[in-house]
Tab-separated table of all heavy atoms in Angstrom:
chain	number	residue	atom	x	y	z
N	68	TYR	N	2.296	11.692	15.852
N	68	TYR	CA	1.688	12.973	16.271
N	68	TYR	C	1.568	13.776	14.883
N	68	TYR	O	0.710	14.747	14.795
N	68	TYR	CB	2.435	13.906	17.185
N	68	TYR	CG	3.966	13.932	17.017
N	68	TYR	CD1	4.545	14.932	16.306
N	68	TYR	CD2	4.789	12.984	17.632
N	68	TYR	CE1	5.973	15.033	16.104
N	68	TYR	CE2	6.114	13.003	17.396
N	68	TYR	CZ	6.762	13.986	16.711
N	68	TYR	OH	8.008	14.162	16.411
N	69	LEU	N	2.350	13.512	13.832
N	69	LEU	CA	2.152	14.162	12.527
N	69	LEU	C	1.567	13.098	11.714
N	69	LEU	O	1.841	11.797	11.905
N	69	LEU	CB	3.334	14.621	11.938
N	69	LEU	CG	4.161	15.771	12.650
N	69	LEU	CD1	5.411	16.175	11.773
N	69	LEU	CD2	3.250	16.944	12.845
N	70	ILE	N	0.807	13.538	10.672
N	70	ILE	CA	0.197	12.506	9.738
N	70	ILE	C	1.341	11.643	9.152
N	70	ILE	O	1.132	10.518	8.958
N	70	ILE	CB	-0.622	13.238	8.643
N	70	ILE	CG1	-1.818	13.962	9.214
N	70	ILE	CG2	-1.024	12.370	7.581
N	70	ILE	CD1	-2.916	13.054	9.765
N	71	GLY	N	2.390	12.362	8.735
N	71	GLY	CA	3.618	11.605	8.281
N	71	GLY	C	3.983	10.579	9.170
N	71	GLY	O	4.376	9.401	8.711
N	72	ASN	N	4.138	10.787	10.344
N	72	ASN	CA	4.617	9.762	11.276
N	72	ASN	C	3.632	8.610	11.357
N	72	ASN	O	4.119	7.472	11.373
N	72	ASN	CB	4.718	10.263	12.888
N	72	ASN	CG	5.500	11.491	13.050
N	72	ASN	OD1	5.134	12.405	13.769
N	72	ASN	ND2	6.576	11.587	12.373
N	73	CYS	N	2.275	9.013	11.211
N	73	CYS	CA	1.246	7.878	11.281
N	73	CYS	C	1.555	7.010	10.117
N	73	CYS	O	1.419	5.798	10.294
N	73	CYS	CB	0.011	8.446	11.281
N	73	CYS	SG	-0.472	9.468	12.711
N	74	ILE	N	1.735	7.660	8.980
N	74	ILE	CA	1.841	6.810	7.724
N	74	ILE	C	3.173	5.907	7.771
N	74	ILE	O	3.163	4.905	7.451
N	74	ILE	CB	1.953	7.753	6.462
N	74	ILE	CG1	0.680	8.550	6.323
N	74	ILE	CG2	2.277	6.888	5.245
N	74	ILE	CD1	0.516	9.588	5.254
N	75	ASP	N	4.182	6.484	8.334
N	75	ASP	CA	5.517	5.762	8.536
N	75	ASP	C	5.201	4.521	9.340
N	75	ASP	O	5.553	3.383	8.916
N	75	ASP	CB	6.486	6.606	9.476
N	75	ASP	CG	7.048	7.774	8.616
N	75	ASP	OD1	6.993	7.804	7.402
N	75	ASP	OD2	7.785	8.746	9.164
N	76	ILE	N	4.518	4.712	10.459
N	76	ILE	CA	4.361	3.467	11.364
N	76	ILE	C	3.424	2.482	10.766
N	76	ILE	O	3.646	1.297	10.763
N	76	ILE	CB	3.643	4.039	12.762
N	76	ILE	CG1	4.529	5.142	13.259
N	76	ILE	CG2	3.431	2.896	13.739
N	76	ILE	CD1	5.525	4.816	14.492
N	77	ILE	N	2.314	3.065	10.166
N	77	ILE	CA	1.407	2.123	9.483
N	77	ILE	C	2.083	1.364	8.314
N	77	ILE	O	1.947	0.150	8.345
N	77	ILE	CB	0.062	2.855	9.075
N	77	ILE	CG1	-0.594	3.409	10.250
N	77	ILE	CG2	-0.768	1.887	8.197
N	77	ILE	CD1	-1.707	4.390	10.013
N	78	SER	N	2.838	2.007	7.499
N	78	SER	CA	3.406	1.208	6.370
N	78	SER	C	4.465	0.278	6.860
N	78	SER	O	4.556	-0.770	6.464
N	78	SER	CB	3.948	2.235	5.290
N	78	SER	OG	5.083	2.982	5.768
N	79	ASP	N	5.074	0.680	7.947
N	79	ASP	CA	6.267	-0.167	8.569
N	79	ASP	C	5.567	-1.477	9.073
N	79	ASP	O	5.948	-2.562	8.781
N	79	ASP	CB	6.694	0.634	9.836
N	79	ASP	CG	8.128	0.327	10.067
N	79	ASP	OD1	8.909	0.082	9.017
N	79	ASP	OD2	8.580	0.221	11.216
N	80	LYS	N	4.448	-1.307	9.840
N	80	LYS	CA	3.647	-2.525	10.288
N	80	LYS	C	3.062	-3.303	9.241
N	80	LYS	O	3.097	-4.548	9.362
N	80	LYS	CB	2.579	-2.006	11.226
N	80	LYS	CG	3.035	-1.157	12.464
N	80	LYS	CD	3.914	-1.890	13.371
N	80	LYS	CE	4.362	-1.026	14.597
N	80	LYS	NZ	5.378	-1.710	15.396
N	81	LEU	N	2.654	-2.674	8.195
N	81	LEU	CA	2.018	-3.408	7.107
N	81	LEU	C	3.184	-4.265	6.341
N	81	LEU	O	2.874	-5.366	6.083
N	81	LEU	CB	1.381	-2.473	6.075
N	81	LEU	CG	0.025	-1.879	6.393
N	81	LEU	CD1	-0.434	-0.838	5.387
N	81	LEU	CD2	-0.932	-3.029	6.447
Side-chain angles (χ1 to χ4, degrees):
Chain N
Y68 49 92
L69 295 182
I70 294 293
N72 305 141
C73 296
I74 298 175
D75 288 344
I76 309 261
I77 292 165
S78 68
D79 213 35
K80 302 289 175 194
L81 282 171

